[in-house]
Every structure is written in C-alpha cells, then in structure tokens.
Amino acid sequence: MNEPEDDVLVGRVAAGDHAAFARLMARHMRRAIGIARGVGRNPADADEIAQDAFLRLWTHAARFDPARGGFTPWFARIVLNLTLDHRRRPAALELESADTVADTTPDALTRLIGAERDALLQAGLDQLGERQRAAIVLFHYEGIAGRDCARILDISEDAFESLLARARRKLRRSLTPIDPDARAGRKETGS
C-alpha cells in the first residue's frame, strides 16, 4: 500500500485526522529538530521548538496551500520562524552544565577530533547572520533543495544562491586558521 503524500496528509490534519498528524510527525520531526538546532544554536530548545511547530501544524493546517510549493518548504518555514522568534526572546539564566558521563567506546581520539571539528564548525556558524546560518542549515544539514530553501526564506532562487555562496565564503574564512609564519614566509619569498 502506498503511503499518502504529505500534501494529502495536511488536508486530513485540517479535518482533524490524528493518524495523518502522527504520520507527518514521524516523517518530519527529525528535520524540524535539525533546523531548530542548527539555526537556533541551542540544542536544548530544539525539541520545544519542533513541538511548537507541530502544534502550529495541527492548528493551522487549513492554511496550507500546496500550490505555493508543497509541504516541506511550508513546514520548514514554520520551524524557521519559530526558531528565529525564540532566539529573539530575552535569554533566560542558563543552568551550569552538568558533567557528562564518559563515553566508553574505545576510539576516544576519533571522538575528540570530531568534537573539536564540530566545535570549530559551530563557532563558524555562530559568526554568520541569521539568514546565512539558516541557508547553510537548510541546504547542507537538512538537505532541502535550493528551490525549496528559497521558498522557506521567502526569497528568489537567485537570491538564495547568492546568500548561500556568501555564507559559505564567510564560513570558510572563519574556519581557515591564520598562520602568521606562513604569511610572513610568503612575503619574504614574494609569493
């Protein structure tokens, strides 16, 4: 039996179909959390934002217009807007981070290198503006097509490509280490 398309399920959700809503949650919860985590920069809030997005889906499913690009960009836009709204709220006092339990997997060096790389990448993403960070997260982390990313961000496809290119350049510059010795060596040798 073929599973119904997302657009059909949203119509059923608008009619109060709980099973259709559960199917959409099963299909799209991971992506909603990924967008909220990547754009919001606070993994602790990502679950709450994703749940709020699904609540909005339940209450506003009748507003969905499949002619405007399909379910994925429509729902991702809801998640993105909630994430940006959440980031703009005054920050609450954060609790001190609890000690983490040590991972018992044998490859500690690989985990350490991966964690360092992830921290550098996150620091680079933190230097991007909201729209550039959203472009990187939607396209590279969530694998959403450029056309749909443009719809989510409410810009033209050309504007999205330009935004993504600027974000990549800025991210690349922030991740490239500055080596004063190498720079001095180039000046001396004339290269």
Side-chain angles (χ1 to χ4, degrees), residues 55-79:
L55 180 60
R56 293 268 173 101
L57 168 62
W58 178 257
T59 58
H60 300 300
R63 294 182 184 173
F64 173 68
D65 179 6
R68 295 192 65 205
F71 176 79
T72 297
W74 178 76
F75 185 66
R77 181 72 187 175
I78 291 171
V79 176

Side-chain angles (χ1 to χ4, degrees), residues 42 45 86 89-95:
N42 188 347
D45 295 334
H86 193 81
R89 290 183 200 152
L93 295 175
E94 293 186 25
L95 297 175

